Amino acid sequence: MKIWKSLLIVLMIFVNLAFAQPSFADRPKFSKNPDYVEVTKALKQLTQAKKARTQLAGVTPEEIQKKIDELEFQKYALETGINWGQCENQTGNTIAVYGKTANEEEEEDATYENGLYFLADGQSTQNSWDCDGFYLPNDAKLAALIPDGQIQEFTQPVAVKIPDGSKLTIKTNPENAAIEINIPNAEIVKANEVNWFIPNVSQALIDTRVPNAPIEKS
């Protein structure tokens, strides 16, 4: 009987270790996250420019410091395990944002890495739901990603991608109707650069879509 009890105890220990093993596994290293690599690179460049007092074209020392502060917070968020972004719409129109599907089975069969969702004016995407960026309509203009506050227009469909750990606020400039954003290291991406659905449609068509993005409840 004692032998059977001993064997039972040993068996229970092995079963417990088998189920507990994932908890001992190493967490994915944030240093390998592509967003972390880009944030760290941009932060290093701006910090070096500040130390060397290098004048970046069209950017004041105050603006450089503001960008550094934003990147520091992005870096900290990634280091502490925040692997999602949030998008806030203050444009006065419906916008199209990119994010993962909530259904794992649908995600496995998905043609694209991200789904396209519609976010109404005044809404923010839900906490923990990863908003990776937004679509720029073919008749929209974009500001704030290039020096001197210049306005960028594009001849082909593009989207704006943000790093994880960022809260993106999207606004419309009332003077020139350009889209303005608050993320200094956002990236312009084209259909051949990411596996996202990037259509070639106008803002008027986006405005006809029913908002369906997961939103933060007020």
Side-chain angles (χ1 to χ4, degrees):
M1 182 64 71
K2 290 183 178 180
I3 295 176
W4 283 109
K5 285 184 178 179
S6 299
L7 289 174
L8 182 60
I9 291 172
V10 172
L11 180 61
M12 290 176 65
I13 291 173
F14 274 109
V15 169
N16 184 58
L17 287 174
F19 281 102
Q21 188 174 0
S23 64
F24 294 106
D26 292 336
R27 291 176 60 187
K29 292 185 177 181
F30 57 79
S31 60
K32 295 183 179 180
N33 183 323
D35 287 340
Y36 185 80
V37 173
E38 288 301 318
V39 166
T40 304
K41 180 180 177 182
L43 184 58
K44 182 179 179 180
Q45 290 175 341
L46 286 174
T47 302
Q48 288 177 340
K50 179 185 175 183
K51 287 182 178 179
R53 296 185 179 180
T54 303
Q55 183 65 39
L56 300 180
V59 183
T60 66
E62 291 77 16
E63 289 171 331
I64 291 177
Q65 185 59 53
K66 185 178 179 180
K67 292 177 186 292
I68 289 174
D69 294 341
E70 170 64 29
L71 291 169
E72 287 280 10
F73 272 105
Q74 288 181 22
K75 181 171 178 284
Y76 175 76
L78 291 167
E79 289 173 345
T80 52
I82 300 178
N83 57 357
W84 51 275
Q86 187 175 43
C87 296
E88 180 183 15
N89 180 9
Q90 295 183 13
T91 64
N93 300 296
T94 297
I95 62 172
V97 298
Y98 292 93
K100 300 293 188 296
T101 175
N103 189 318
E104 292 184 2
E105 293 182 0
E106 290 181 5
E107 189 172 326
E108 290 178 359
D109 297 330
T111 303
Y112 298 99
E113 178 185 338
N114 277 327
L116 193 62
Y117 298 82
F118 300 97
L119 186 67
D121 179 48
Q123 292 183 341
S124 297
T125 55
Q126 192 175 48
N127 281 349
S128 298
W129 185 78
D130 188 13
C131 182
D132 282 325
F134 71 102
Y135 167 71
L136 191 71
N138 59 18
D139 54 353
K141 299 174 291 185
L142 184 67
L145 290 187
I146 50 181
D148 299 325
Q150 298 173 27
I151 294 175
Q152 244 177 325
E153 297 184 65
F154 302 90
T155 57
Q156 58 183 304
V158 299
V160 179
K161 183 179 183 294
I162 63 170
D164 288 342
S166 304
K167 181 173 181 178
L168 172 69
T169 301
I170 309 158
K171 298 181 178 181
T172 302
N173 187 309
E175 295 182 2
N176 54 27
I179 298 294
E180 297 181 339
I181 63 176
N182 64 320
I183 304 298
N185 57 324
E187 180 184 1
I188 302 296
V189 293
K190 303 170 186 176
N192 62 342
E193 297 172 337
V194 291
N195 186 26
W196 295 7
F197 174 58
I198 305 180
N200 188 14
V201 298
S202 67
Q203 179 61 51
L205 184 59
I206 299 295
D207 285 333
T208 66
R209 302 299 91 187
V210 175
N212 63 346
I215 61 170
E216 191 68 10
K217 304 296 183 182
S218 57

